[in-house]
Amino acid sequence: MRVIVVGAGVLGTMHAWHAVERGHEVRHIEREAEARGASVRNFGQIWVSGRAGGEELATALRARELWEGIGARVPGLGFRATGSLTVVRNDAERAVAEAATRRPDAAARGYRLLDAERARAVNPALRGDFTGALWCERDAAVEPRVAQLALKEALLASGRYTYLGGREVREVVGGRAVRDDHGETHHGDAVILCTGAWLGGLVRELAPDLPVRRVRLQMMQTDPLGEPLPTSVADADSFRYYPAYRGDALDALDAGQAQAPTAAAHKMQLLMVQRADGGLTIGDTHEYRAPFAFDTVEEPYEHLTGVVEAILGRPLPRIRRRWAGVYAQCTDTARVVHRRQVRDGVWLVTGPGGRGMTCAPAIAETTANELGW
Ligand SMILES: Cc1cc2nc3c(=O)[nH]c(=O)nc-3n(C[C@H](O)[C@H](O)[C@H](O)COP(=O)(O)OP(=O)(O)OC[C@H]3O[C@@H](n4cnc5c(N)ncnc54)[C@H](O)[C@@H]3O)c2cc1C
């Protein structure tokens, strides 16, 4: 079988991966020379901890397993079983963490409530002010800036994979074929469009009523910390954004403790992960309404710097990079992804939202199973 994959972000690359694994030939077409969308701009968090119970958690756990296996074969991904600590600073925050450990699926996530001393034993870089932390053993990380490239190298070595960068797919022609902006037509037995947050043009023509919206985030990365940060780290604001924490304890936190004004204005949480070079990737904000800002603003960075310095108990290294990214999210946020046949033999897979890096290997595996590859 010949599979045409459009879009070289993590979703497209993982579809290519599963197709090649199952013995098929893949032609992979990307508008840019290489991926430049959400997949290279994210934290690289394989984030199990806050997932909704049920399909979303099952997808994340399966994806975590797949990432680990692929990471063993492709060391360039930088897969690390880091786990994560969501630090809490008072009783109300601690109650949310405690409630999470009583979930029926807590063991599957590897949740444990730690006091501050135990949290520091797991992550000695946390020398700041907090009273405890929710440990999630299943969380992991990869290196987003290089993951797609590392996967591409491994796919090229298979001999069944062709990569065509710098070509925008403009049209679906006839059955199971696409035409690019070089005027070349590519025929396959199946076409998978993984075009991310580009919802206009070709995608609008194929699926005008797409139930997917765009979300913009601001991020930053520091110079090397100069010491290991062995786990990923989150603050209690992240409880407000992930469905696993919903319940009475979160309602009480929301009612009794307002977010800092900047955090509330920019819909923020702290997520932080150490990169392979020792720098820290730190975020994030959420902007839901277009037109999105075309520049980054400082207030969220100042807020995050304060939060991180309080947790680490030390000043942050210099901020080396600042950027923004946009992902596509199903408007029904309970849906893991929007997967739909848009023409004969042509499927559009988009809208995994803020969990796309986590879930991509499992989402692509489901596509492969459903299409009988
Ligand atoms: C700042 C930020 C932080 C995030 N952090 C995390 C995280 O830590 N963990 C997590 O699980 N998720 C995270 N996410 C979400 C995750 O990054 C996305 O869900 C995921 O990367 C989406 O992958 P994708 O392949 O669908 O899209 P993209 O990575 O955007 O790739 C789509 C590709 O399609 C190409 N393309 C589009 N149209 C065409 C066309 N017509 N022809 C050819 N090529 C085309 C684009 O150029 C692009 O390269 C984050 C997102 C952002 C923005």
Side-chain angles (χ1 to χ4, degrees):
M1 218 169 101
R2 169 167 272 209
V3 180
I4 311 284
V5 178
V6 181
V10 68
L11 263 191
T13 306
M14 284 298 173
H15 280 82
W17 178 271
H18 283 288
V20 165
E21 282 287 284
R22 294 172 190 216
H24 305 306
E25 272 196 27
V26 170
R27 180 168 289 206
H28 199 176
I29 306 171
E30 164 59 45
R31 178 167 55 196
E32 306 288 339
E34 54 193 43
R36 276 291 173 274
S39 302
V40 294
R41 296 167 191 244
N42 63 46
F43 293 92
Q45 305 257 36
I46 312 305
W47 198 248
V48 168
S49 36
R51 302 289 157 226
E55 187 195 351
E56 186 177 319
L57 178 62
T59 307
L61 286 170
R62 173 61 183 151
R64 162 69 169 76
E65 195 180 330
L66 288 165
W67 272 118
E68 187 163 12
I70 298 168
R73 289 168 57 188
V74 185
L77 283 181
F79 177 88
R80 278 116 54 213
T82 52
S84 75
L85 291 169
T86 302
V87 299
V88 297
R89 296 162 307 162
N90 56 45
D91 288 349
E93 294 177 357
R94 187 187 173 84
V96 182
E98 208 160 18
T101 64
R102 288 195 298 269
R103 289 183 58 95
D105 51 26
R109 301 168 196 257
Y111 274 161
R112 260 178 33 225
L113 186 59
L114 307 181
D115 60 23
E117 196 185 331
R118 286 213 183 106
R120 286 196 188 98
V122 175
N123 190 336
L126 308 185
R127 293 187 289 273
D129 196 18
F130 58 95
T131 58
L134 177 66
W135 164 243
C136 179
E137 182 270 333
R138 287 279 82 193
D139 285 339
V142 296
E143 290 298 296
R145 286 170 185 266
V146 293
Q148 275 69 232
L149 294 176
L151 287 165
K152 180 170 114 182
E153 288 309 312
L155 285 164
L156 286 169
S158 73
R160 293 193 297 281
Y161 174 82
T162 312
Y163 181 85
L164 297 174
R167 286 173 189 246
E168 179 174 319
V169 168
R170 301 293 291 269
E171 207 184 339
V172 171
V173 284
R176 299 156 199 259
V178 294
R179 183 174 298 132
D180 68 27
D181 59 354
H182 293 230
E184 195 177 338
T185 301
H186 309 272
H187 296 270
D189 299 295
V191 177
I192 312 293
L193 302 171
C194 296
T195 42
W198 282 265
L199 307 178
L202 170 74
V203 170
R204 182 167 295 128
E205 280 171 27
L206 294 170
D209 55 346
L210 203 61
V212 169
R213 65 174 175 176
R214 300 168 82 235
V215 182
R216 177 184 178 274
L217 288 70
Q218 270 192 209
M219 306 280 284
M220 64 178 173
Q221 190 170 318
T222 69
D223 275 341
L225 183 64
E227 63 179 317
L229 184 81
T231 73
S232 294
V233 175
D235 74 350
D237 276 345
S238 69
F239 291 148
R240 304 175 200 260
Y241 290 100
Y242 289 106
Y245 305 115
R246 287 181 194 145
D248 294 345
L250 182 61
D251 292 345
L253 177 68
D254 276 337
Q257 181 180 310
Q259 271 190 296
T262 303
H266 295 275
K267 301 178 176 61
M268 297 179 67
Q269 60 182 337
L270 166 71
L271 296 179
M272 171 165 68
V273 58
Q274 191 167 39
R275 298 269 67 94
D277 74 353
L280 304 176
T281 300
I282 298 172
D284 56 17
T285 59
H286 295 92
E287 189 179 351
Y288 297 99
R289 206 171 301 154
F292 292 146
F294 53 82
D295 49 5
T296 58
V297 288
E298 277 306 294
E299 291 83 353
Y301 293 125
E302 288 161 8
H303 168 77
L304 287 170
T305 300
V307 173
V308 174
E309 290 185 345
I311 294 172
L312 295 179
R314 55 164 282 180
L316 264 189
R318 181 182 70 129
I319 308 302
R320 176 126 190 270
R321 307 171 197 266
R322 299 171 200 264
W323 69 95
V326 176
Y327 62 65
Q329 179 185 50
C330 291
T331 45
D332 174 0
T333 54
R335 291 191 57 179
V336 171
V337 74
H338 182 77
R339 183 189 293 102
R340 166 161 152 204
Q341 185 165 3
V342 289
R343 291 288 185 276
D344 181 33
V346 181
W347 281 264
L348 172 65
V349 189
T350 185
R355 47 170 128 74
M357 194 68 173
T358 302
C359 295
I363 290 170
E365 182 183 55
T366 302
T367 307
N369 291 342
E370 285 185 4
L371 270 54
W373 290 357

